[in-house]
Structure formats: structure tokens, C-alpha cells
Amino acid sequence: MKNKILIIVYLFFGCACLFPAGAQDEFGVSLEVKVTKKIVKGLQFSLEEEFRMRENLGETDRFSTTAELSYKVIDYLKVGGAYNLIRYNHETKGWETRHRYYFYATGSYRFNRFTLSLRERFQSTYRVGVEETAKRANPKHYLRSRLGVEYDIRRSPFEPFLSVEFYHTLNDPQKNELDRVRYTAGCTYKLNKQHALELYYRYVSYADDEDNSKHLIGLGYSFKF
């Protein structure tokens, strides 16, 4: 198992090195650890820690902690909610605290070895110490719609996936519209029934600033019990 973990880690840093420091688009990384506990049949509680870097790995972006409760209503429908505490390093104002909560519903459909999913998520984020103005909402509300597909490779611990996610503002004082689109491609590697690693590439395109797109390489570890 140790050799398999090292291979994933080497791939992560290898992908990170593919982006030159002088690239026009911003490049960052995300490191995630998630623990999930089954409470009763269909009901799960999870705790996740995340660390991000930005500006071509030159600056810390954020630390965050997420506590989530989810329930599988039926085989193809899952609902949940979470609280997310964020310490964000603002580009000009320095470190600030953000309180975020969200609720979601995910529908999924499996055919052959593919699984299609659609998740709708309401998200609200409050920035401590930031005043609401005629041009800025606080808290800020989003509807995040994500369409994804996964493929279960026969007799293999690898499970590749693709997704596209749309961020729609809900309470922008000026205009509610599509704010950004996030594309993700990656693969989950199941070490065993409880432990898994995830490696992915993410591209974020902003609707109001097409020249300020972002690239991100993510590495995650999850444990279920």
C-alpha cells in the first residue's frame, strides 16, 4: 500500500510541476483529508480539512473545516447539509473569517458501469467584518449546479470521473447571473474498502473576467468507518 500511495503523491507533484511559474493563468493546489462515519443505514457524518495555495504556489489561499450530514433517501437520491468554517487570505485585505452553510440534493443514475449524477446546492457565505453595500451582498448566496459522470473499471481500484459545475448568484444587488464555471477531471484510487486517494485537475472560468481563469491540482485522502 505504501508504494501505491507514493505513486499517487509523485503524480500530484509531477502535475504541479507542469505549470510554469510565469504562466498567465493562476495555478494552485488543494490538499484534502476527509473522514466519514456511518451513523445508521443511509445516514452519514463527515469531517473534512482542506488547505489551498494560489498564485503559482507562492501564497496560501485558505484553510477550511467542513462538517457535513447526509442521508440517502433512496438508491438514486441523496440529500445533505453542511457548515464550513473558512480562513481566507484575501488578496488585499489579508486574513478573514468566513462562515458558510449549504444544503444539497443529488440524483444519480447508473447504467452499465457509468454513473451519471446531478447535484443542486444552495450555498450561503458570510464574511466577518465586511459590510453589505449597494454593490456587494453579505452574506452571498449561490446556486451551484453540478453534472458529473463516473466510470467503474471492472476489477480495478481506479475510478475516473468528470464534472462541470455552474455558479449562479442569487442575491447580487446589481444582477443575478452565471458567475463562474468549474471543470474537473480526475481519478479515485481505492486502497481498500475504507481508504481511498483522489487526484484531480480543475479549471475555473469566470464569466466577468475570462482572462483571469484558474488551474488547480488537487490531492485528497478519505477514510470511511
Side-chain angles (χ1 to χ4, degrees):
M1 180 185 296
K2 184 181 296 185
N3 290 336
K4 297 176 181 177
I5 294 175
L6 288 175
I7 291 174
I8 299 295
V9 173
Y10 289 151
L11 284 173
F12 169 76
F13 286 105
C15 291
C17 291
L18 291 177
F19 292 86
Q24 181 177 359
D25 293 340
E26 183 177 319
F27 168 69
V29 298
S30 174
L31 299 174
E32 306 159 15
V33 177
K34 185 175 183 179
V35 178
T36 302
K37 167 65 177 176
K38 178 181 177 182
I39 301 174
V40 295
K41 184 178 179 181
L43 184 64
Q44 292 184 333
F45 173 78
S46 65
L47 189 66
E48 181 176 4
E49 294 288 337
E50 181 183 11
F51 168 71
R52 291 188 200 174
M53 296 190 71
R54 63 169 186 258
E55 296 186 6
N56 302 321
L57 310 185
E59 189 169 5
T60 298
D61 181 77
R62 73 183 64 189
F63 299 89
S64 70
T65 301
T66 304
E68 179 180 308
L69 193 65
S70 63
Y71 181 68
K72 193 172 186 179
V73 182
I74 48 180
D75 287 342
Y76 52 85
L77 179 62
K78 180 181 179 181
V79 297
Y83 167 72
N84 184 201
L85 174 63
I86 303 170
R87 284 288 291 166
Y88 177 72
N89 185 15
H90 195 278
E91 290 85 349
T92 59
K93 301 177 181 179
W95 288 96
E96 67 177 34
T97 299
R98 298 182 176 184
H99 300 282
R100 174 178 295 171
Y101 69 86
Y102 59 82
F103 302 99
Y104 68 88
T106 303
S108 59
Y109 176 71
R110 182 179 175 89
F111 67 98
N112 295 329
R113 306 192 72 84
F114 290 93
T115 300
L116 291 176
S117 64
L118 174 63
R119 189 215 64 202
E120 296 292 348
R121 167 171 151 177
F122 169 80
Q123 172 182 294
S124 178
T125 305
Y126 174 74
R127 298 169 61 187
V128 176
V130 176
E131 294 184 0
E132 191 171 36
T133 68
K135 296 182 178 181
R136 178 179 61 206
N138 189 34
K140 184 180 289 187
H141 303 322
Y142 278 102
L143 175 65
R144 294 173 53 175
S145 305
R146 186 184 69 193
L147 180 65
V149 60
E150 302 174 359
Y151 183 69
D152 182 15
I153 302 175
R154 188 185 301 274
R155 297 177 183 177
S156 172
F158 292 97
E159 188 172 283
F161 59 86
L162 295 169
S163 71
V164 58
E165 185 172 7
F166 303 92
Y167 286 63
H168 296 269
T169 56
L170 296 177
N171 67 332
D172 191 309
Q174 296 179 301
K175 183 181 180 181
N176 288 319
E177 58 186 354
L178 178 66
D179 180 71
R180 74 194 74 168
V181 182
R182 190 166 80 170
Y183 306 89
T184 305
C187 188
T188 300
Y189 182 82
K190 297 180 180 179
L191 300 169
N192 51 43
K193 292 183 178 180
Q194 292 182 303
H195 304 269
L197 294 174
E198 183 177 278
L199 180 66
Y200 63 85
Y201 163 73
R202 178 168 292 157
Y203 175 74
V204 184
S205 175
Y206 292 87
D208 61 349
D209 191 357
E210 295 182 357
D211 294 330
N212 189 28
S213 55
K214 294 182 179 180
H215 304 269
L216 184 142
I217 298 294
L219 178 64
Y221 163 77
S222 62
F223 172 66
K224 296 181 179 181
F225 67 103

